């Protein structure tokens, strides 16, 4: 028997039954400066995954990055030496799912609001 598989045909196991979708470990990274919205979206995402009966790990809270900028108040440099201090806190959450990529696409179909940065990556599980 040859190992040739025509384009468009499904893969079959030794018994002739079609193979199910391959399981991936999918890591979703959520990044935002607004903690309340980040927590709300991550719990919604986890609840949708648990409704589909997926194995979920997370949310893992990564350390908060604090970006600080200190600048002079006066544009010309004269006058009293007063300074303004600005900071931006960036919060990050990791969520791991064990599922096929098609099911995860259904779960993630609702994208987060604009201040979020949303990234997901996959790897094979044997």
């Amino acid at each position: 028997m040859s190992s040739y598989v025509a384009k468009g045909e499904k893969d079959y196991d030794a018994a002739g039954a079609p193979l199910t979708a391959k399981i991936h470990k999918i890591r979703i990274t959520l990044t935002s400066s607004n903690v309340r919205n980040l927590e709300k979206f991550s719990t919604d995402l986890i609840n949708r995954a648990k409704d589909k009966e997926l194995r979920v790990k997370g949310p893992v809270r990564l350390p908060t990055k604090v970006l600080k900028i200190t600048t002079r108040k006066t544009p010309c440099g004269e006058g009293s030496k007063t300074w303004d201090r600005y900071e931006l806190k960036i919060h990050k959450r990791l969520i791991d799912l064990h599922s096929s990529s098609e099911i995860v696409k259904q779960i993630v179909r609702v994208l987060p609001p604009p201040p979020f940065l949303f990234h997901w990556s996959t790897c094979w599980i044997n």
Side-chain angles (χ1 to χ4, degrees):
M1 189 175 207
S2 70
S3 63
Y4 173 77
V5 176
K7 210 175 199 182
E9 288 185 21
K10 294 183 178 180
D11 292 332
Y12 295 94
D13 63 1
L19 290 174
T20 58
K22 293 185 179 181
I23 301 297
H24 302 284
K25 177 182 176 187
I26 298 169
R27 174 163 282 174
I28 298 173
T29 307
L30 298 170
T31 307
S32 177
S33 60
N34 190 339
V35 183
R36 204 172 292 155
N37 290 342
L38 183 65
E39 288 292 331
K40 182 180 180 293
F41 186 75
S42 63
T43 55
D44 289 345
L45 191 69
I46 289 171
N47 289 337
R48 278 186 264 149
K50 287 183 179 178
D51 288 343
K52 299 267 186 187
E53 298 177 359
L54 300 180
R55 202 168 108 200
V56 180
K57 289 185 181 179
V60 177
R61 291 162 181 85
L62 296 178
T64 303
K65 288 184 183 177
V66 180
L67 306 176
K68 294 181 180 181
I69 295 177
T70 305
T71 182
R72 287 282 306 267
K73 282 187 179 181
T74 59
C76 62
E78 292 186 19
S80 62
K81 293 177 176 47
T82 54
W83 297 83
D84 275 333
R85 290 180 288 278
Y86 300 101
E87 66 179 34
L88 174 67
K89 294 184 178 182
I90 299 173
H91 307 276
K92 223 177 206 184
R93 303 289 183 263
L94 292 179
I95 300 171
D96 288 333
L97 302 172
H98 295 271
S99 171
S100 66
S101 58
E102 290 81 23
I103 293 175
V104 172
K105 286 179 186 176
Q106 293 173 1
I107 293 170
V108 186
R109 71 177 180 268
V110 178
L111 289 176
F116 279 92
L117 179 63
F118 184 83
H119 176 70
W120 63 300
S121 60
T122 63
C123 67
W124 299 96
I125 295 178
N126 292 334

